[in-house]
Amino acid sequence: MKKHTLKVAIAIFVGLSIVFTITSCNKSVDGTVVDASTRRSFTPYNLAVKANKDSARFSFTAPVYATSGMTYTIEASKDSSFSTIDFSVITDTTFAYATDSVIALNTPYYSRVKINPYSVFAASHYFTKVGTFKLMGLQYLKAIRDFEISANSVLLHWYLNSYTQKVTSVVLTPKNGVAVASNVSADEVALGAKQVTDLLPGTKYTIQLFAGKKSLGILTFTTAPAINYTTILNPDVDDLAAAIAAAADGDIIGLNPGTYTLSNATSVLQKTITIRSVSNNPTDTKVLSKEIDVVGDGAGITLAGIDFNASYGGSSNGTTFLQLLGSAATPGAPATFTNVKIDNCIIHEYSRCVIRGNVGAVANNFKIGSISINNCQIYNIDLANNSGYYSCSLEKLQFNEVSFTKSTFYNMGEGLINMGTTLAKPTVKPQITIDYCTINNIGGNAKYLLFDANANQVNYTLSNSILANTPMGTGTVKTAAYRGGAAGNKLIFSNNNYFKFASSVGGFDLVLTGLEQTDNIIDDLGWTPSTTSFSLVNVPATDPIFSSSLSGGTIGDPRWAY
Protein backbone atom coordinates (compact mmCIF):
# COMPACT_ATOMS: atom_id res chain seq x y z
CA MET A 1 0.00 0.00 0.00
CA LYS A 2 2.82 2.41 0.86
CA LYS A 3 4.59 1.71 -2.44
CA HIS A 4 1.45 2.57 -4.42
CA THR A 5 1.03 5.78 -2.40
CA LEU A 6 4.63 6.77 -3.13
CA LYS A 7 4.14 6.21 -6.89
CA VAL A 8 1.00 8.32 -6.84
CA ALA A 9 2.82 11.09 -4.95
CA ILE A 10 5.69 11.10 -7.46
CA ALA A 11 3.23 11.25 -10.33
CA ILE A 12 1.43 14.16 -8.76
CA PHE A 13 4.78 15.87 -8.04
CA VAL A 14 5.93 15.52 -11.66
CA GLY A 15 2.54 16.56 -12.97
CA LEU A 16 2.51 19.65 -10.80
CA SER A 17 6.03 20.39 -11.97
CA ILE A 18 4.89 20.37 -15.59
CA VAL A 19 1.88 22.57 -14.77
CA PHE A 20 3.99 25.10 -12.89
CA THR A 21 6.63 25.11 -15.62
CA ILE A 22 4.02 25.89 -18.26
CA THR A 23 1.86 28.35 -16.32
CA SER A 24 4.09 30.14 -13.82
CA CYS A 25 7.57 30.70 -15.30
CA ASN A 26 8.07 33.56 -17.70
CA LYS A 27 11.65 33.71 -18.95
CA SER A 28 13.71 36.38 -20.60
CA VAL A 29 15.93 35.50 -23.54
CA ASP A 30 18.81 34.53 -21.24
CA GLY A 31 16.63 32.43 -18.95
CA THR A 32 16.39 34.87 -16.07
CA VAL A 33 13.06 34.70 -14.26
CA VAL A 34 11.01 37.74 -15.14
CA ASP A 35 8.08 37.00 -12.87
CA ALA A 36 9.94 36.56 -9.58
CA SER A 37 6.86 35.44 -7.64
CA THR A 38 7.53 34.36 -4.09
CA ARG A 39 4.84 31.69 -4.53
CA ARG A 40 6.72 29.74 -7.19
CA SER A 41 6.80 26.21 -5.84
CA PHE A 42 9.98 24.94 -7.49
CA THR A 43 12.25 28.03 -7.54
CA PRO A 44 14.14 29.45 -4.55
CA TYR A 45 13.06 33.00 -3.67
CA ASN A 46 13.65 35.93 -1.26
CA LEU A 47 17.36 36.04 -2.09
CA ALA A 48 19.06 38.54 0.21
CA VAL A 49 22.68 39.62 0.55
CA LYS A 50 24.09 41.10 3.74
CA ALA A 51 27.36 42.79 2.84
CA ASN A 52 29.89 43.43 5.59
CA LYS A 53 33.23 45.14 5.09
CA ASP A 54 35.05 42.05 3.83
CA SER A 55 32.37 39.41 3.33
CA ALA A 56 28.86 38.82 2.06
CA ARG A 57 26.23 36.42 3.38
CA PHE A 58 23.72 35.12 0.83
CA SER A 59 20.43 33.74 2.13
CA PHE A 60 17.21 32.67 0.46
CA THR A 61 14.00 30.76 1.03
CA ALA A 62 13.80 27.20 -0.26
CA PRO A 63 10.87 26.39 -2.56
CA VAL A 64 7.80 24.61 -1.20
CA TYR A 65 8.69 21.29 -2.80
CA ALA A 66 12.39 21.26 -1.90
CA THR A 67 13.56 17.85 -0.71
CA SER A 68 16.55 16.55 1.19
CA GLY A 69 19.58 16.10 -1.05
CA MET A 70 18.89 19.04 -3.33
CA THR A 71 21.69 21.58 -3.82
CA TYR A 72 21.63 25.20 -4.89
CA THR A 73 23.92 27.38 -7.00
CA ILE A 74 24.42 31.03 -6.03
CA GLU A 75 26.07 33.27 -8.59
CA ALA A 76 27.31 36.86 -8.64
CA SER A 77 28.13 38.97 -11.68
CA LYS A 78 29.20 42.52 -12.40
CA ASP A 79 26.53 42.80 -15.12
CA SER A 80 22.81 42.28 -14.82
CA SER A 81 22.70 39.87 -17.76
CA PHE A 82 25.15 37.50 -16.01
CA SER A 83 27.08 37.10 -19.26
CA THR A 84 30.17 36.56 -17.09
CA ILE A 85 29.92 34.80 -13.73
CA ASP A 86 32.42 36.32 -11.31
CA PHE A 87 31.54 34.15 -8.33
CA SER A 88 29.70 30.84 -8.00
CA VAL A 89 29.14 28.52 -5.07
CA ILE A 90 27.14 25.31 -4.61
CA THR A 91 25.46 24.82 -1.25
CA ASP A 92 23.08 22.29 0.29
CA THR A 93 21.74 24.86 2.75
CA THR A 94 19.82 28.10 2.25
CA PHE A 95 22.83 30.33 2.82
CA ALA A 96 26.43 30.77 1.69
CA TYR A 97 29.35 33.16 2.17
CA ALA A 98 31.82 34.99 -0.05
CA THR A 99 34.84 37.00 1.07
CA ASP A 100 36.97 39.72 -0.47
CA SER A 101 39.38 37.03 -1.65
CA VAL A 102 36.88 36.15 -4.39
CA ILE A 103 34.73 39.30 -4.56
CA ALA A 104 36.39 42.53 -5.74
CA LEU A 105 36.07 45.50 -3.38
CA ASN A 106 34.06 48.63 -4.18
CA THR A 107 32.41 46.84 -7.10
CA PRO A 108 28.62 46.44 -7.53
CA TYR A 109 27.48 42.84 -8.07
CA TYR A 110 24.18 41.31 -9.11
CA SER A 111 23.21 37.95 -7.60
CA ARG A 112 20.90 35.02 -8.33
CA VAL A 113 20.12 31.50 -7.10
CA LYS A 114 18.71 28.26 -8.56
CA ILE A 115 18.17 24.61 -7.66
CA ASN A 116 20.59 22.28 -9.38
CA PRO A 117 19.44 19.14 -11.27
CA TYR A 118 18.57 16.40 -8.78
CA SER A 119 17.42 12.83 -9.36
CA VAL A 120 14.69 13.02 -12.01
CA PHE A 121 14.28 16.78 -11.65
CA ALA A 122 15.79 19.40 -13.95
CA ALA A 123 17.36 22.61 -12.66
CA SER A 124 14.94 25.29 -11.55
CA HIS A 125 14.73 28.75 -13.01
CA TYR A 126 16.92 31.44 -11.46
CA PHE A 127 15.61 33.86 -8.88
CA THR A 128 17.49 37.14 -9.39
CA LYS A 129 17.81 39.65 -6.57
CA VAL A 130 16.73 43.19 -7.39
CA GLY A 131 19.62 45.66 -7.10
CA THR A 132 23.29 45.15 -6.30
CA PHE A 133 25.60 44.65 -3.35
CA LYS A 134 29.27 45.52 -2.83
CA LEU A 135 32.00 45.02 -0.26
CA MET A 136 33.76 48.10 1.06
CA GLY A 137 36.64 46.06 2.52
CA LEU A 138 38.54 46.43 5.76
CA GLN A 139 40.02 49.89 5.97
CA TYR A 140 43.23 50.15 7.98
CA LEU A 141 44.94 52.58 5.59
CA LYS A 142 44.95 56.10 6.98
CA ALA A 143 43.78 58.96 4.81
CA ILE A 144 46.47 60.05 2.36
CA ARG A 145 47.33 63.67 3.00
CA ASP A 146 48.01 65.86 -0.01
CA PHE A 147 51.27 67.22 1.40
CA GLU A 148 52.61 63.64 1.42
CA ILE A 149 52.05 63.24 -2.31
CA SER A 150 54.64 64.41 -4.84
CA ALA A 151 54.93 63.98 -8.58
CA ASN A 152 56.78 60.68 -8.14
CA SER A 153 56.02 59.37 -4.65
CA VAL A 154 53.48 58.92 -1.88
CA LEU A 155 53.88 58.29 1.86
CA LEU A 156 51.39 55.71 3.16
CA HIS A 157 50.33 55.25 6.77
CA TRP A 158 48.20 52.52 8.33
CA TYR A 159 46.83 51.75 11.78
CA LEU A 160 48.84 49.37 13.95
CA ASN A 161 46.81 46.39 15.13
CA SER A 162 46.76 42.60 15.04
CA TYR A 163 45.70 42.61 11.37
CA THR A 164 48.38 45.00 10.13
CA GLN A 165 51.13 43.16 11.98
CA LYS A 166 50.83 40.69 9.10
CA VAL A 167 51.11 43.23 6.24
CA THR A 168 53.15 41.85 3.34
CA SER A 169 52.68 44.18 0.37
CA VAL A 170 51.02 47.16 -1.23
CA VAL A 171 49.64 47.03 -4.77
CA LEU A 172 49.43 50.18 -6.88
CA THR A 173 47.30 50.32 -10.01
CA PRO A 174 47.53 53.40 -12.25
CA LYS A 175 44.38 54.37 -14.10
CA ASN A 176 44.23 52.33 -17.30
CA GLY A 177 47.50 50.70 -16.27
CA VAL A 178 48.90 47.47 -14.87
CA ALA A 179 49.00 46.71 -11.14
CA VAL A 180 52.45 46.64 -9.53
CA ALA A 181 53.13 45.00 -6.14
CA SER A 182 55.71 46.33 -3.70
CA ASN A 183 56.85 44.30 -0.67
CA VAL A 184 56.62 45.80 2.81
CA SER A 185 59.64 45.28 5.05
CA ALA A 186 59.54 44.27 8.72
CA ASP A 187 60.68 47.78 9.71
CA GLU A 188 57.87 49.33 7.66
CA VAL A 189 55.34 46.95 9.23
CA ALA A 190 56.50 47.99 12.72
CA LEU A 191 56.34 51.68 11.77
CA GLY A 192 52.99 51.44 9.99
CA ALA A 193 54.27 53.49 7.07
CA LYS A 194 55.87 53.08 3.65
CA GLN A 195 57.25 55.52 1.10
CA VAL A 196 56.32 54.37 -2.40
CA THR A 197 58.47 55.83 -5.18
CA ASP A 198 58.90 55.70 -8.96
CA LEU A 199 55.36 56.87 -9.65
CA LEU A 200 54.21 58.76 -12.74
CA PRO A 201 53.40 62.50 -12.44
CA GLY A 202 49.76 63.59 -12.74
CA THR A 203 48.46 60.02 -12.56
CA LYS A 204 45.52 58.63 -10.60
CA TYR A 205 46.39 55.50 -8.61
CA THR A 206 44.43 52.97 -6.61
CA ILE A 207 46.48 51.56 -3.75
CA GLN A 208 45.64 48.45 -1.74
CA LEU A 209 47.26 47.11 1.44
CA PHE A 210 47.56 43.32 1.77
CA ALA A 211 48.38 40.71 4.38
CA GLY A 212 48.97 37.79 2.03
CA LYS A 213 45.79 37.74 -0.07
CA LYS A 214 43.71 39.57 2.55
CA SER A 215 42.91 43.20 1.72
CA LEU A 216 43.42 45.54 4.67
CA GLY A 217 42.62 48.82 2.97
CA ILE A 218 42.08 50.54 -0.35
CA LEU A 219 42.39 54.21 -1.32
CA THR A 220 42.87 56.37 -4.40
CA PHE A 221 45.15 59.37 -4.91
CA THR A 222 46.60 61.40 -7.77
CA THR A 223 50.26 62.32 -8.00
CA ALA A 224 51.23 65.94 -8.46
CA PRO A 225 51.75 67.07 -12.04
CA ALA A 226 55.19 67.77 -13.43
CA ILE A 227 55.76 71.55 -13.36
CA ASN A 228 57.56 73.49 -16.10
CA TYR A 229 57.91 77.04 -14.80
CA THR A 230 57.85 79.94 -17.23
CA THR A 231 59.73 82.07 -14.71
CA ILE A 232 60.91 81.70 -11.11
CA LEU A 233 61.03 84.73 -8.80
CA ASN A 234 63.09 85.49 -5.72
CA PRO A 235 61.90 87.58 -2.75
CA ASP A 236 63.38 91.05 -2.23
CA VAL A 237 64.70 90.89 -5.80
CA ASP A 238 61.80 90.32 -8.18
CA ASP A 239 58.48 92.19 -8.42
CA LEU A 240 55.55 89.76 -8.29
CA ALA A 241 53.01 92.36 -9.47
CA ALA A 242 55.15 93.15 -12.52
CA ALA A 243 55.56 89.43 -13.29
CA ILE A 244 51.78 88.96 -13.17
CA ALA A 245 51.21 91.93 -15.50
CA ALA A 246 53.81 90.64 -17.97
CA ALA A 247 52.69 87.00 -17.94
CA ALA A 248 51.12 85.51 -21.05
CA ASP A 249 48.16 83.17 -21.14
CA GLY A 250 49.20 79.77 -19.77
CA ASP A 251 52.33 80.99 -17.98
CA ILE A 252 53.43 79.43 -14.68
CA ILE A 253 55.13 81.78 -12.20
CA GLY A 254 57.22 80.03 -9.55
CA LEU A 255 58.03 81.64 -6.20
CA ASN A 256 61.14 80.67 -4.28
CA PRO A 257 60.66 80.65 -0.48
CA GLY A 258 60.31 84.07 1.13
CA THR A 259 57.81 86.92 1.43
CA TYR A 260 56.33 88.90 -1.48
CA THR A 261 54.00 91.92 -1.37
CA LEU A 262 51.00 92.87 -3.51
CA SER A 263 50.02 96.14 -1.83
CA ASN A 264 47.51 97.14 -4.54
CA ALA A 265 44.66 95.22 -6.12
CA THR A 266 46.44 93.06 -8.69
CA SER A 267 44.71 92.19 -11.98
CA VAL A 268 44.97 89.04 -14.06
CA LEU A 269 43.62 90.50 -17.29
CA GLN A 270 42.05 88.25 -19.96
CA LYS A 271 44.50 85.38 -19.42
CA THR A 272 44.74 82.26 -17.29
CA ILE A 273 47.95 81.91 -15.32
CA THR A 274 49.40 79.89 -12.43
CA ILE A 275 51.27 81.25 -9.41
CA ARG A 276 52.77 78.59 -7.15
CA SER A 277 55.57 78.11 -4.66
CA VAL A 278 58.52 76.08 -5.91
CA SER A 279 58.61 74.28 -2.56
CA ASN A 280 54.82 73.63 -2.60
CA ASN A 281 54.98 74.62 1.07
CA PRO A 282 52.79 77.57 2.11
CA THR A 283 54.60 77.95 5.44
CA ASP A 284 57.80 79.10 3.71
CA THR A 285 56.32 81.08 0.80
CA LYS A 286 54.13 84.04 1.73
CA VAL A 287 52.36 86.80 -0.17
CA LEU A 288 51.01 89.90 1.59
CA SER A 289 48.10 90.56 -0.73
CA LYS A 290 45.43 93.22 -0.76
CA GLU A 291 43.26 91.68 -3.51
CA ILE A 292 43.59 89.60 -6.67
CA ASP A 293 41.21 90.50 -9.50
CA VAL A 294 40.47 88.05 -12.30
CA VAL A 295 39.30 90.27 -15.14
CA GLY A 296 37.51 89.72 -18.45
CA ASP A 297 36.88 86.97 -20.97
CA GLY A 298 39.32 84.08 -20.75
CA ALA A 299 40.64 85.11 -17.33
CA GLY A 300 41.39 82.48 -14.72
CA ILE A 301 43.99 81.58 -12.12
CA THR A 302 45.60 78.68 -10.27
CA LEU A 303 47.24 79.38 -6.91
CA ALA A 304 49.23 76.69 -5.12
CA GLY A 305 51.46 76.30 -2.09
CA ILE A 306 51.27 79.91 -0.87
CA ASP A 307 50.26 81.70 2.36
CA PHE A 308 48.10 84.73 1.47
CA ASN A 309 47.88 87.27 4.30
CA ALA A 310 45.59 90.27 3.93
CA SER A 311 47.78 92.38 6.24
CA TYR A 312 49.57 93.80 3.22
CA GLY A 313 50.39 97.10 4.92
CA GLY A 314 51.03 96.02 8.47
CA SER A 315 47.81 97.24 10.09
CA SER A 316 45.92 97.51 6.78
CA ASN A 317 43.85 94.51 5.76
CA GLY A 318 42.41 93.62 2.38
CA THR A 319 38.68 93.11 2.14
CA THR A 320 38.37 90.42 -0.54
CA PHE A 321 40.93 87.75 -1.39
CA LEU A 322 39.84 87.15 -5.01
CA GLN A 323 37.31 88.99 -7.14
CA LEU A 324 35.84 88.41 -10.60
CA LEU A 325 35.42 91.55 -12.74
CA GLY A 326 33.99 92.04 -16.22
CA SER A 327 36.58 94.58 -17.36
CA ALA A 328 38.95 97.08 -15.84
CA ALA A 329 36.81 100.00 -17.03
CA THR A 330 33.41 98.40 -16.39
CA PRO A 331 33.61 95.84 -13.56
CA GLY A 332 30.02 94.65 -14.11
CA ALA A 333 30.38 94.07 -17.87
CA PRO A 334 29.59 90.54 -19.17
CA ALA A 335 32.51 88.10 -19.03
CA THR A 336 33.16 84.39 -19.40
CA PHE A 337 35.98 83.23 -17.14
CA THR A 338 37.88 79.95 -17.32
CA ASN A 339 38.47 78.46 -13.84
CA VAL A 340 39.70 79.42 -10.39
CA LYS A 341 41.76 76.74 -8.63
CA ILE A 342 43.27 77.18 -5.16
CA ASP A 343 45.38 74.30 -3.87
CA ASN A 344 47.46 73.85 -0.72
CA CYS A 345 47.16 77.50 0.29
CA ILE A 346 46.62 79.35 3.56
CA ILE A 347 44.28 82.35 3.26
CA HIS A 348 43.51 84.62 6.20
CA GLU A 349 42.71 88.05 7.68
CA TYR A 350 40.33 89.31 4.97
CA SER A 351 37.58 91.55 6.33
CA ARG A 352 34.87 90.77 3.78
CA CYS A 353 35.03 87.45 1.92
CA VAL A 354 37.20 84.87 0.17
CA ILE A 355 35.76 84.96 -3.36
CA ARG A 356 33.42 87.57 -4.77
CA GLY A 357 31.64 86.76 -8.02
CA ASN A 358 28.58 88.99 -7.72
CA VAL A 359 29.88 92.16 -9.38
CA GLY A 360 28.01 91.54 -12.64
CA ALA A 361 25.66 94.40 -13.48
CA VAL A 362 22.80 91.93 -13.92
CA ALA A 363 22.25 88.25 -13.26
CA ASN A 364 23.86 85.87 -15.78
CA ASN A 365 26.47 88.45 -16.84
CA PHE A 366 29.29 86.36 -15.40
CA LYS A 367 30.00 82.73 -16.32
CA ILE A 368 32.75 80.39 -15.12
CA GLY A 369 33.60 76.72 -15.43
CA SER A 370 34.68 75.82 -11.90
CA ILE A 371 35.90 77.21 -8.61
CA SER A 372 37.85 74.72 -6.48
CA ILE A 373 39.51 74.96 -3.07
CA ASN A 374 41.56 71.89 -2.09
CA ASN A 375 43.95 71.11 0.76
CA CYS A 376 43.68 74.65 2.12
CA GLN A 377 43.34 76.37 5.47
CA ILE A 378 41.12 79.46 5.46
CA TYR A 379 40.43 81.45 8.61
CA ASN A 380 39.75 84.88 10.14
CA ILE A 381 37.42 86.05 7.39
CA ASP A 382 34.86 88.80 8.20
CA LEU A 383 35.57 88.58 11.92
CA ALA A 384 33.19 91.50 12.51
CA ASN A 385 30.48 89.21 11.12
CA ASN A 386 28.67 92.13 9.50
CA SER A 387 30.14 92.70 6.01
CA GLY A 388 26.96 91.54 4.29
CA TYR A 389 28.86 88.97 2.19
CA TYR A 390 29.02 85.20 2.25
CA SER A 391 32.51 83.68 2.27
CA CYS A 392 31.88 82.85 -1.39
CA SER A 393 29.45 85.45 -2.73
CA LEU A 394 28.53 84.07 -6.14
CA GLU A 395 25.16 85.70 -6.79
CA LYS A 396 24.61 86.53 -10.49
CA LEU A 397 27.39 84.09 -11.46
CA GLN A 398 26.62 81.07 -13.62
CA PHE A 399 29.00 78.26 -12.69
CA ASN A 400 29.28 74.57 -13.45
CA GLU A 401 30.98 73.46 -10.27
CA VAL A 402 32.15 74.75 -6.89
CA SER A 403 34.12 72.36 -4.68
CA PHE A 404 35.77 72.54 -1.26
CA THR A 405 37.81 69.41 -0.52
CA LYS A 406 40.28 68.29 2.17
CA SER A 407 40.29 71.78 3.68
CA THR A 408 39.82 73.54 7.02
CA PHE A 409 37.65 76.62 7.57
CA TYR A 410 37.32 78.44 10.89
CA ASN A 411 36.51 81.87 12.34
CA MET A 412 34.47 82.92 9.33
CA GLY A 413 31.45 85.21 9.47
CA GLU A 414 28.01 84.98 7.85
CA GLY A 415 27.45 81.97 5.50
CA LEU A 416 29.56 79.77 3.24
CA ILE A 417 28.10 80.04 -0.29
CA ASN A 418 25.53 82.41 -1.80
CA MET A 419 24.04 81.92 -5.25
CA GLY A 420 20.68 83.35 -4.28
CA THR A 421 20.03 85.71 -7.22
CA THR A 422 17.62 84.12 -9.69
CA LEU A 423 19.58 82.80 -12.67
CA ALA A 424 18.59 81.51 -16.10
CA LYS A 425 17.96 77.76 -16.18
CA PRO A 426 21.38 76.24 -16.85
CA THR A 427 22.26 73.75 -19.57
CA VAL A 428 24.32 71.88 -16.98
CA LYS A 429 22.95 71.88 -13.44
CA PRO A 430 25.53 73.48 -11.09
CA GLN A 431 27.19 71.17 -8.56
CA ILE A 432 28.41 72.25 -5.11
CA THR A 433 30.61 69.71 -3.33
CA ILE A 434 32.07 69.93 0.17
CA ASP A 435 34.02 66.78 1.01
CA TYR A 436 36.49 65.83 3.76
CA CYS A 437 36.47 69.27 5.34
CA THR A 438 36.77 70.52 8.92
CA ILE A 439 34.60 73.54 9.71
CA ASN A 440 34.48 75.33 13.08
CA ASN A 441 33.11 78.61 14.45
CA ILE A 442 31.42 80.02 11.37
CA GLY A 443 28.23 81.87 10.48
CA GLY A 444 26.23 84.91 11.50
CA ASN A 445 24.39 88.05 10.43
CA ALA A 446 21.15 86.05 9.92
CA LYS A 447 22.50 84.26 6.83
CA TYR A 448 21.94 80.67 5.66
CA LEU A 449 24.90 78.83 7.12
CA LEU A 450 25.63 76.26 4.39
CA PHE A 451 24.32 77.80 1.19
CA ASP A 452 21.59 79.96 -0.31
CA ALA A 453 20.47 78.81 -3.74
CA ASN A 454 17.03 80.42 -3.44
CA ALA A 455 14.94 78.93 -6.30
CA ASN A 456 17.90 78.10 -8.55
CA GLN A 457 18.76 74.68 -9.93
CA VAL A 458 21.66 73.07 -8.06
CA ASN A 459 22.94 69.72 -6.83
CA TYR A 460 24.64 69.90 -3.44
CA THR A 461 26.70 67.32 -1.54
CA LEU A 462 28.26 67.84 1.88
CA SER A 463 29.96 64.63 3.00
CA ASN A 464 32.75 63.11 5.11
CA SER A 465 33.14 66.36 7.04
CA ILE A 466 33.10 67.71 10.61
CA LEU A 467 31.05 70.81 11.45
CA ALA A 468 31.00 72.43 14.89
CA ASN A 469 30.29 75.58 16.90
CA THR A 470 27.84 77.68 14.94
CA PRO A 471 27.32 80.57 14.70
CA MET A 472 30.47 82.60 15.30
CA GLY A 473 30.46 84.85 18.38
CA THR A 474 27.14 86.34 19.41
CA GLY A 475 25.65 86.27 15.91
CA THR A 476 22.76 84.22 14.63
CA VAL A 477 22.06 82.33 11.41
CA LYS A 478 18.81 81.27 9.80
CA THR A 479 17.06 78.40 11.55
CA ALA A 480 17.27 76.40 8.32
CA ALA A 481 20.85 75.52 7.41
CA TYR A 482 20.24 76.20 3.73
CA ARG A 483 17.80 77.44 1.09
CA GLY A 484 17.55 75.59 -2.19
CA GLY A 485 14.39 73.57 -2.62
CA ALA A 486 13.80 73.96 -6.36
CA ALA A 487 12.17 70.94 -7.97
CA GLY A 488 14.71 68.41 -9.17
CA ASN A 489 17.53 69.55 -6.88
CA LYS A 490 19.49 66.70 -5.29
CA LEU A 491 20.75 67.83 -1.88
CA ILE A 492 22.86 65.36 0.12
CA PHE A 493 24.21 65.56 3.68
CA SER A 494 25.96 62.29 4.47
CA ASN A 495 28.73 60.69 6.54
CA ASN A 496 29.29 63.85 8.57
CA ASN A 497 29.85 64.59 12.25
CA TYR A 498 28.20 67.72 13.57
CA PHE A 499 27.92 69.10 17.10
CA LYS A 500 27.04 72.44 18.69
CA PHE A 501 25.47 73.05 15.29
CA ALA A 502 22.85 75.66 16.13
CA SER A 503 21.22 78.84 14.86
CA SER A 504 22.48 80.74 17.91
CA VAL A 505 25.10 79.87 20.51
CA GLY A 506 23.47 77.41 22.89
CA GLY A 507 20.24 77.58 20.87
CA PHE A 508 18.23 75.05 18.89
CA ASP A 509 19.91 72.76 16.38
CA LEU A 510 19.93 73.92 12.78
CA VAL A 511 17.18 72.43 10.65
CA LEU A 512 18.44 70.05 7.96
CA THR A 513 15.02 68.98 6.68
CA GLY A 514 15.04 68.57 2.90
CA LEU A 515 18.60 67.27 2.75
CA GLU A 516 19.07 63.56 2.08
CA GLN A 517 20.66 62.58 5.40
CA THR A 518 22.49 59.26 5.74
CA ASP A 519 25.11 57.84 8.11
CA ASN A 520 25.72 61.06 10.06
CA ILE A 521 26.84 61.12 13.67
CA ILE A 522 26.73 63.60 16.55
CA ASP A 523 30.04 63.18 18.36
CA ASP A 524 31.22 66.12 20.49
CA LEU A 525 35.01 66.25 20.11
CA GLY A 526 35.38 68.93 22.75
CA TRP A 527 36.14 71.76 20.35
CA THR A 528 35.22 75.30 21.34
CA PRO A 529 34.85 78.43 19.19
CA SER A 530 38.48 79.29 19.99
CA THR A 531 39.86 75.91 18.85
CA THR A 532 42.32 76.31 15.97
CA SER A 533 44.07 72.93 16.05
CA PHE A 534 41.74 70.09 15.15
CA SER A 535 44.08 67.15 15.62
CA LEU A 536 42.40 63.81 16.30
CA VAL A 537 45.56 62.25 17.74
CA ASN A 538 44.18 62.17 21.29
CA VAL A 539 40.73 60.94 20.32
CA PRO A 540 40.23 57.27 21.38
CA ALA A 541 40.90 54.86 18.51
CA THR A 542 37.42 53.37 18.96
CA ASP A 543 35.70 56.71 18.32
CA PRO A 544 33.34 56.56 15.31
CA ILE A 545 35.09 59.59 13.83
CA PHE A 546 37.71 57.16 12.49
CA SER A 547 35.24 54.91 10.66
CA SER A 548 32.37 57.12 9.54
CA SER A 549 33.46 58.13 6.06
CA LEU A 550 31.81 56.65 3.00
CA SER A 551 34.89 54.44 2.56
CA GLY A 552 34.94 53.43 6.23
CA GLY A 553 37.80 55.75 7.22
CA THR A 554 38.31 59.03 9.08
CA ILE A 555 36.16 62.05 8.31
CA GLY A 556 37.20 65.71 8.25
CA ASP A 557 40.26 67.37 6.72
CA PRO A 558 42.86 64.57 6.48
CA ARG A 559 45.66 66.85 7.76
CA TRP A 560 44.24 66.43 11.28
CA ALA A 561 43.63 62.67 11.15
CA TYR A 562 46.97 61.59 12.68
Side-chain angles (χ1 to χ4, degrees), residues 72-349:
Y72 307 86
T73 294
I74 298 172
E75 296 174 341
S77 175
K78 297 184 185 74
D79 67 273
S80 58
S81 66
F82 290 84
S83 58
T84 299
I85 304 302
D86 298 289
F87 168 76
S88 179
V89 63
I90 296 175
T91 177
D92 58 1
T93 65
T94 56
F95 61 88
Y97 293 89
T99 68
D100 58 0
S101 63
V102 293
I103 295 286
L105 298 178
N106 296 309
T107 303
Y109 283 92
Y110 298 88
S111 54
R112 65 184 184 181
V113 61
K114 71 172 182 177
I115 296 179
N116 297 318
Y118 174 69
S119 185
V120 298
F121 307 113
S124 74
H125 293 285
Y126 283 103
F127 180 92
T128 302
K129 179 184 178 296
V130 176
T132 61
F133 73 94
K134 67 178 177 178
L135 305 184
M136 300 304 297
L138 296 175
Q139 186 58 280
Y140 295 123
L141 276 172
K142 294 182 178 181
I144 298 174
R145 299 176 291 198
D146 282 25
F147 61 83
E148 294 173 327
I149 304 171
S150 73
N152 305 108
S153 68
V154 62
L155 179 58
L156 302 178
H157 299 267
W158 55 84
Y159 295 99
L160 296 175
N161 56 38
S162 59
Y163 287 94
T164 58
Q165 288 175 4
K166 302 173 184 177
V167 165
T168 55
S169 64
V170 294
V171 175
L172 285 95
T173 307
K175 185 177 181 181
N176 303 321
V178 178
V180 176
S182 177
N183 292 332
V184 178
S185 70
D187 288 344
E188 290 168 334
V189 171
L191 185 62
K194 180 178 178 64
Q195 183 89 26
V196 181
T197 58
D198 299 324
L199 305 181
L200 299 173
T203 302
K204 183 175 182 179
Y205 284 89
T206 298
I207 191 160
Q208 199 162 1
L209 184 70
F210 282 97
K213 294 184 178 180
K214 180 70 175 177
S215 174
L216 298 182
I218 185 169
L219 291 172
T220 61
F221 68 95
T222 301
T223 50
I227 306 298
N228 295 313
Y229 294 99
T230 307
T231 185
I232 296 178
L233 308 184
N234 293 297
D236 303 323
V237 176
D238 297 308
D239 185 337
L240 176 57
I244 292 172
D249 186 55
D251 278 2
I252 300 175
I253 300 172
L255 305 181
N256 274 326
T259 300
Y260 303 78
T261 301
L262 297 174
S263 55
N264 298 308
T266 303
S267 294
V268 177
L269 181 61
Q270 291 183 311
K271 58 192 175 188
T272 296
I273 64 172
T274 296
I275 307 170
R276 61 184 305 138
S277 65
V278 174
S279 67
N280 197 32
N281 182 358
T283 65
D284 68 21
T285 306
K286 304 175 185 294
V287 175
L288 305 178
S289 175
K290 179 178 181 179
E291 176 181 300
I292 296 174
D293 293 334
V294 177
V295 185
D297 288 334
I301 195 166
T302 294
L303 302 167
I306 301 170
D307 179 318
F308 290 94
N309 186 339
S311 298
Y312 64 93
S315 60
S316 301
N317 279 27
T319 58
T320 301
F321 169 61
L322 190 147
Q323 187 168 224
L324 303 178
L325 300 177
S327 73
T330 310
T336 299
F337 308 95
T338 54
N339 303 299
V340 169
K341 180 179 180 181
I342 306 170
D343 187 77
N344 190 27
C345 288
I346 302 171
I347 301 167
H348 55 109
E349 314 309 330

